[in-house]
Amino acid sequence: MYFVRRLIFAIPLLLVISALAFALVHLAPGGPFDRERAPASPEIERNLRAAYHLDEPVWKQYLRYLDGLARGDFGPSLKYRSHTVNDIIAQGLPVSMLLGALAFGFAMGVGLPVGFFTAARRGRWEDFAGSFFAILAVCIPGFVLAPLLILVFAIKWRLLPVALWGGPEHMILPAVSLGLYYAGKVARLMREGMLSAIQSEFITAARAKGLAEAALLFKHAVRLAVLPVVSFSGPMLADMLTGSFVIENIFQIPGIGVFLVNGALNRDYTVVVGLSLLYAMLLVGLNLIVDFAYTLLDPRVKYE
Amino acid sequence: MIERQGAAAPCQPLHVSPGRRAWRRFRKNRAAILSAWYLAALLLAVVAWPFALRISGGTFARLHDPDRLSNAQFAPPGAQHWFGTDVHGRDVFSRVLFGAQISLLVGVVGTLVSLVIGVAWGTVAGYVGGRVDGFLMRIVDVLYSLPTIIFVIVLLTTLGEALKQTRFVEHSPALAGGLQVILLFVGLGAVSWLTMARIVRGQVLSLRTRAFVEASRALGGRPAWILARHIVPNIFGVVITYLALTMPAIILYESFLSYLGLGVQPPMASWGTLIAEGVAQINPLRIYWWLIVFPGGILVATLLALNFLGDGLRDAWDVKSK
């Protein structure tokens, strides 16, 4: 019931977001056709504006836009004439999602073991080394890491391609550059979760009953410790999809982030609003899924 | 002297103020102290370097002028150019220090903006409570579900464009650059206050029912007085801690946006634009590693120091993050 209500609450939220983005982009001066070479004649420009309904009042354009959205149509791109926003999403989203999924896998694959291990070895040198790695990872932005990786692995050693998107060998450097920050985040969350789980009473009870330390950590503490990571994973995935502009930019990956940044620079209204809305939908949807997964993992959690 | 006495008499620490107790705990944290020294040194270098150039004058100043083009293109790091030179033969060391001015300024001012909004919002919500609290926190929830960075990008491009077309900016490019930086302050501050508001609200909610606050109310203290005298001083530790953790996030956002060309505009430079210039020079024939390693390294070291500092403060004030 709670989730149905959340789902219904998401609709006005998305409406507000779309209205906000629509208003912001439209209120700014300068039109999408300003940077074209001088148009052949004023009539042509007038016809262009009329074709895209830019001559109507803003509220009317917004209603027209909503009407399209209700039918699953994000409208035409004003800059890439032959494309609709739906085309751009269909083209870019799978690429961005694949990149995000790989980075997510990397973050979890590295972060969870590091967090687990540092907590299990608390206070020893392994803990210090692992924790330092985690905090360092959080402090290296993708746009510093990616060029360094390119210099070392692609140019110096010529092991991997410098850029572009194709086979699996193209995906390693972008996924690592995007995922390392989150690996550090996950490791820190996991370590904290493990530490507080180890201190909880049911663990003390199990230890008093003579359960082996390994079983204690692997079977009992982990289930509790992983919960903060789970609740972080929704925003994390959304963040990876939105934060991938820079990585896509550096590696020339034809994902969705490139279109958004270019859209913002070129005042391509429909692309910017459409993609913002898409990101908001992803964020809302992912958070909902994560909260739902949370109730499955932790039966104590009940949403009213 | 006083501290030694305190350590000798076991009952003494009871009278130590919370701030003093936190300071004692903080001093024992070696990583945090080291970070504080690093940040102080960086700040000193950033402030002193322009003066050093002006005072020394002559060839030294000409060699290290961050904007002066020269024929020494892509000189590797050496005795003359400590961090090497870039594509136009400009001294990278100087450019990193001058870029730090913008990066740190945006970090500090953006953090202050988020401080003012977050503390005001959280205190009002927590203290007034009831329907006001529900309303204010619902807004925070809605903003939380916005994709932050996209919101800033849309804000920067639209408002930036709007400002660029006003009359007085058209005549003065310097003013236009300054306005872009101010927009960065506002935009980044405006999206970074949410967590601060939530934390402050939680603290205020629990403080509101404490006996000393009740006593002040019983004695006829007005809400404004109680807030200023009793509530705000008691959330100081939390706020300071969270500030230290907000600043690296804002610095990171700034360099991210500037990297994309949406933040600071040339001829102004920040760490983000410097790294972008370095990336633009990547080619398969020659490796100009210093163009990326030095600005990137200073950025990473600064973020690291701020994070260590924030963690140290959190442990010292014993703040629970949730």
Side-chain angles (χ1 to χ4, degrees):
Chain A
M1 242 17 309
Y2 171 78
F3 290 103
V4 176
R5 249 196 302 137
R6 281 264 307 262
L7 211 57
I8 294 170
F9 179 69
I11 296 171
L13 179 66
L14 291 174
L15 277 181
V16 169
I17 293 173
S18 66
L20 210 66
F22 205 82
L24 268 177
V25 180
H26 273 262
L27 287 180
F33 309 121
D34 283 2
R35 291 194 194 157
E36 305 258 316
R37 278 167 292 153
S41 68
E43 281 105 80
I44 288 181
E45 199 186 334
R46 207 174 312 134
N47 286 340
L48 263 176
R49 293 181 68 84
Y52 289 115
H53 304 290
L54 289 175
D55 49 352
E56 292 176 0
V58 174
W59 62 269
K60 222 169 176 182
Q61 291 184 44
Y62 179 63
L63 286 185
R64 191 182 290 281
Y65 184 72
L66 281 185
D67 182 50
L69 276 185
R71 285 182 276 111
D73 177 12
F74 283 94
S77 162
L78 304 181
K79 209 71 197 178
Y80 306 99
R81 291 289 162 65
S82 51
H83 285 60
T84 65
V85 180
N86 290 41
D87 289 338
I88 290 176
I89 292 174
Q91 210 179 65
L93 191 62
V95 176
S96 288
M97 276 174 100
L98 179 59
L99 176 61
L102 288 172
F104 185 80
F106 175 79
M108 287 296 182
V110 173
L112 288 178
V114 168
F116 179 86
F117 191 65
T118 49
R121 300 255 145 196
R122 188 183 187 186
R124 314 218 190 132
W125 71 268
E126 295 102 319
D127 180 20
F128 284 105
S131 298
F132 185 74
F133 158 78
I135 199 171
L136 188 65
V138 175
C139 293
I140 303 184
F143 56 88
V144 175
L145 183 65
L148 291 179
L149 289 178
I150 292 176
L151 284 184
V152 174
F153 289 98
I155 294 182
K156 189 107 203 257
W157 294 343
R158 299 185 187 270
L159 290 174
L160 293 163
V162 174
L164 300 180
W165 193 247
E169 75 274 11
H170 288 96
M171 300 174 187
I172 297 171
L173 291 184
V176 171
S177 333
L178 184 58
L180 189 75
Y181 170 85
Y182 299 96
K185 268 265 204 263
V186 167
R188 299 188 76 184
L189 279 175
M190 183 69 186
R191 179 172 181 274
E192 240 166 80
M194 278 297 288
L195 288 182
S196 71
I198 289 171
Q199 282 161 9
S200 62
E201 282 167 6
F202 77 94
I203 293 284
T204 315
R207 188 176 286 139
K209 284 179 173 175
L211 197 62
E213 196 68 14
L216 208 66
L217 290 178
F218 279 102
K219 276 174 92 173
H220 297 268
V222 163
R223 272 195 71 179
L224 196 64
V226 87
L227 290 176
V229 179
V230 171
S231 55
F232 174 64
S233 63
M236 171 165 93
L237 256 178
D239 237 35
M240 279 178 172
L241 289 173
T242 50
S244 60
F245 315 137
V246 166
I247 302 298
E248 288 176 9
N249 181 315
I250 292 176
F251 290 100
Q252 315 257 310
I253 296 168
I256 217 160
V258 176
F259 285 106
L260 182 81
V261 173
N262 286 340
L265 290 172
N266 290 327
R267 325 204 39 68
D268 198 338
Y269 307 141
T270 48
V271 169
V272 174
V273 180
L275 295 185
S276 313
L277 210 53
L278 180 75
Y279 279 127
M281 277 195 260
L282 283 173
L283 192 63
V284 170
L286 286 170
N287 275 329
L288 210 60
I289 292 171
V290 162
D291 286 349
F292 188 65
Y294 209 97
T295 55
L296 295 182
L297 280 169
D298 188 350
R300 292 173 305 178
V301 176
K302 287 242 161 53
Y303 295 105
E304 77 282 22
Chain B
M1 275 306 269
I2 297 162
E3 265 144 37
R4 202 161 287 163
Q5 279 169 4
C11 58
Q12 207 72 347
L14 281 177
H15 304 291
V16 171
S17 74
R20 188 152 259 253
R21 219 179 310 149
W23 167 238
R24 279 194 194 157
R25 241 175 280 155
F26 182 77
R27 260 191 341 192
K28 290 204 193 108
N29 188 331
R30 233 178 290 156
I33 291 290
L34 201 68
S35 303
W37 278 113
Y38 165 78
L39 290 172
L42 177 70
L43 214 59
L44 185 71
V46 167
V47 174
W49 184 247
F51 290 107
L53 285 186
R54 200 167 307 157
I55 291 168
S56 63
T59 36
F60 182 78
R62 235 179 305 124
L63 217 55
H64 291 94
D65 186 336
D67 298 321
R68 190 170 171 280
L69 312 187
S70 80
N71 290 329
Q73 275 188 325
F74 297 123
Q80 229 173 26
H81 298 288
W82 301 324
F83 285 4
T85 61
D86 70 357
V87 59
H88 299 300
R90 293 174 295 191
D91 183 55
V92 174
F93 179 79
S94 244
R95 285 180 68 70
V96 168
L97 280 188
F98 276 89
Q101 287 180 358
I102 300 288
S103 289
L104 293 179
L105 193 68
V106 172
V108 170
V109 179
T111 309
L112 287 181
V113 171
S114 83
L115 167 81
V116 171
I117 305 179
V119 170
W121 203 277
T123 337
V124 170
Y127 194 78
V128 178
R131 214 169 271 173
V132 176
D133 180 27
F135 177 69
L136 291 180
M137 284 300 118
R138 205 45 24 88
I139 292 181
V140 170
D141 288 344
V142 168
L143 291 178
Y144 246 115
S145 59
L146 285 177
T148 324
I149 197 68
I150 294 182
F151 186 68
V152 178
I153 288 178
V154 172
L155 200 73
L156 276 178
T157 43
T158 52
L159 283 183
E161 199 76 19
L163 282 174
K164 240 176 249 163
Q165 309 220 339
T166 51
R167 196 173 303 143
F168 48 88
V169 173
E170 259 172 19
H171 298 295
S172 152
L175 196 62
L179 276 173
Q180 185 80 15
V181 175
I182 291 171
L183 268 181
L184 269 176
F185 296 158
V186 175
L188 291 177
V191 296
S192 306
W193 57 273
L194 300 173
T195 314
M196 178 74 92
R198 275 192 179 172
I199 290 174
V200 167
R201 170 181 171 269
Q203 290 280 319
V204 172
L205 269 182
S206 77
L207 279 172
R208 195 174 57 159
T209 54
R210 296 277 285 276
F212 67 95
V213 176
E214 210 116 304
S216 177
R217 203 176 300 137
L219 288 171
R222 298 235 179 84
W225 162 261
I226 294 175
L227 280 178
R229 186 77 187 79
H230 296 297
I231 305 279
V232 169
N234 273 302
I235 56 175
F236 185 73
V238 181
V239 168
I240 278 280
T241 301
Y242 199 71
L243 276 188
L245 294 172
T246 306
M247 190 135 74
I250 291 186
I251 291 180
L252 191 59
Y253 271 145
E254 185 277 325
S255 49
F256 179 90
L257 291 171
S258 295
Y259 179 90
L260 286 174
L262 297 167
V264 176
Q265 303 294 325
M268 260 193 234
S270 82
W271 289 335
T273 62
L274 290 179
I275 295 166
E277 284 171 19
V279 172
Q281 300 304 330
I282 288 183
N283 66 67
L285 303 174
R286 283 264 168 80
I287 296 179
Y288 305 119
W289 53 269
W290 57 90
L291 293 182
I292 296 165
V293 167
F294 288 117
I298 297 275
L299 172 64
V300 171
T302 305
L303 295 177
L304 205 57
L306 284 168
N307 271 305
F308 275 131
L309 197 68
D311 282 356
L313 285 171
R314 182 167 54 196
D315 294 342
W317 287 97
D318 198 20
V319 177
K320 304 274 183 298
S321 48
K322 270 170 198 158

